[in-house]
């Protein structure tokens, strides 16, 4: 099937963080002990899991979210954001004694590159039973998870997903080493260059993206995508490799670009596309995400992604 076909999509279940991003734009990010004066401040919806769920939903897949929010203003705002996208939030727990997740983000004006510190809050309360219930309720064709939920919840999610025949994708972020126990259990792995390096213990760049994907596939998953920033993504699937370069765009803010890749990739798979087509679409979605400030606002809809692909 080509990426342009409008086949009905099966459900995608996304597990991960739902954050509120507090974003300062600065000329140059501060060094340790340094204070810099920023040019602007804004609050956006964020969280890798929520960004990926929005990317999946904007790519046309029926999407459900597994997550946790506090009983606070940020929690209510983020739940409303997801509801407004048509995302099923019935498996997003509301915790009375744990706050919603927050991320402090500094974005450099010239490059759009960011530095992020995040506090997961209620994301760390996602429970194994909550994960099993979500799989039983949503019956996902595709499960997409980050490493933000606790390992016990992820183990239960993956086990339940495999039992019902879902395609299980792990985006090994934010700290890739947490993926090691799951590499034999998942179908597909998505990592950026740094995360790939952490898992294979050797340098990864655009020059060796396909080799890195091959090395990672030897650790378990038969499909591995390595995102390479402006260079696009390298992928291996069933022993065959390919690289999809990113379209040239004017980069304003890279926050959420990797998440846009993951969500669009999962949605394409749920639509029946092969992993190579899904990666090509994911690269275009990730590129478009860098052209707009903020995580949720930057995530493109499928129509915009298809138009960008058609222009190339
Ligand atoms: O991937 C980007 C996200 O990571 C941000 O939205 C922020 O919440 C951080 O966790």
């Amino acid at each position: 099937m080509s990426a342009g076909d409008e086949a009905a999509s099966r459900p995608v279940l996304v597990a991960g963080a739902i954050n509120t991003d507090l974003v300062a734009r600065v000329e140059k990010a501060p060094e340790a002990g340094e204070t810099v004066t920023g040019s602007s401040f804004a609050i956006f919806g964020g969280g890798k899991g929520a960004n990926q769920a929005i990317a999946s939903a904007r790519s046309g897949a029926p999407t459900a979210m597994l997550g946790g929010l506090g009983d606070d203003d940020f929690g209510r705002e983020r739940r409303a954001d997801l509801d407004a996208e048509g995302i099923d939030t019935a498996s997003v727990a509301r915790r009375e004694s744990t706050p919603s997740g927050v991320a402090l983000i500094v974005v450099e004006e010239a490059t759009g590159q960011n530095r992020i510190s995040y506090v997961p809050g209620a994301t760390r309360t996602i429970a194994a039973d909550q994960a099993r219930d979500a799989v039983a309720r949503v019956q996902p064709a595709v499960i997409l998870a980050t490493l933000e939920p606790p390992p016990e919840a992820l183990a239960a999610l993956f086990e339940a997903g495999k039992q019902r025949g879902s395609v299980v994708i792990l985006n090994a972020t934010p700290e890739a080493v947490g993926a090691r126990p799951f590499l034999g259990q998942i179908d597909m792995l998505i990592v950026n260059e740094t995360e790939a390096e952490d898992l294979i213990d050797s340098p990864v760049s655009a020059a060796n993206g396909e080799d890195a994907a091959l090395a990672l596939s030897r650790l378990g998953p038969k499909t591995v995508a390595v995102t390479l920033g402006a260079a696009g993504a390298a992928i291996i699937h069933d022993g065959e490799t390919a690289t999809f370069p990113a379209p040239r765009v004017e980069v304003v803010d890279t926050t959420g670009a990797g998440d846009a890749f993951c969500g669009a990739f999962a949605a394409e798979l749920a639509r029946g596309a092969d992993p190579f087509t899904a990666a090509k679409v994911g690269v275009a979605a990730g590129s478009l995400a860098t052209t707009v400030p903020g995580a949720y606002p930057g995530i493109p809809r499928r129509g915009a992604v298809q138009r960008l692909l058609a222009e190339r």
Side-chain angles (χ1 to χ4, degrees), residues 19 21 46-48 51 103 105 116 118 148 255-256 259 295:
N19 294 339
D21 293 351
K48 294 178 194 302
N51 297 341
I105 303 182
I116 303 178
Y118 103 103
E148 294 160 314
T255 309
D259 302 327

Side-chain angles (χ1 to χ4, degrees), residues 17-21 44-49 51-52 102-105 114 116-118 148 173-174 254-259 295-296:
I18 310 167
N19 294 339
T20 298
D21 293 351
F44 297 106
K48 294 178 194 302
N51 297 341
Q52 295 181 10
V102 173
L104 305 180
I105 303 182
N114 59 37
I116 303 178
S117 308
Y118 103 103
E148 294 160 314
T173 189
T254 57
T255 309
D259 302 327
Y296 295 180

Side-chain angles (χ1 to χ4, degrees), residues 149-292:
E152 317 78 67
L154 288 175
L157 175 70
F158 296 159
E159 194 186 335
K162 293 309 294 175
Q163 273 171 11
R164 86 152 301 281
S166 311
V167 174
V168 174
I169 310 170
L170 175 62
N171 176 212
T173 189
E175 279 123 15
V177 289
R180 287 194 199 283
F182 301 118
L183 292 175
Q185 204 181 355
I186 57 173
D187 299 300
M188 303 191 183
L189 175 72
I190 302 174
V191 283
N192 65 21
E193 290 141 295
T194 316
E195 292 152 0
E197 285 179 6
D198 288 347
L199 288 174
I200 60 176
D201 266 336
S202 73
V204 176
S205 68
N208 66 356
E210 291 185 23
D211 293 339
L214 174 62
L216 287 160
S217 74
R218 291 189 175 131
L219 301 178
K222 69 174 184 175
T223 306
V224 179
V226 181
T227 58
L228 302 165
I235 180 166
I236 187 164
H237 173 62
D238 278 345
E240 203 182 314
T241 58
T243 299
F244 298 102
R248 280 169 106 58
V249 292
E250 195 174 323
V251 178
V252 173
D253 180 358
T254 57
T255 309
D259 302 327
F261 174 97
C262 293
F265 180 85
E268 287 304 314
L269 293 179
R271 192 182 288 277
D274 63 77
F276 295 104
T277 303
K280 188 165 91 176
V281 173
V283 166
S287 297
L288 282 176
T290 66
T291 63
V292 177

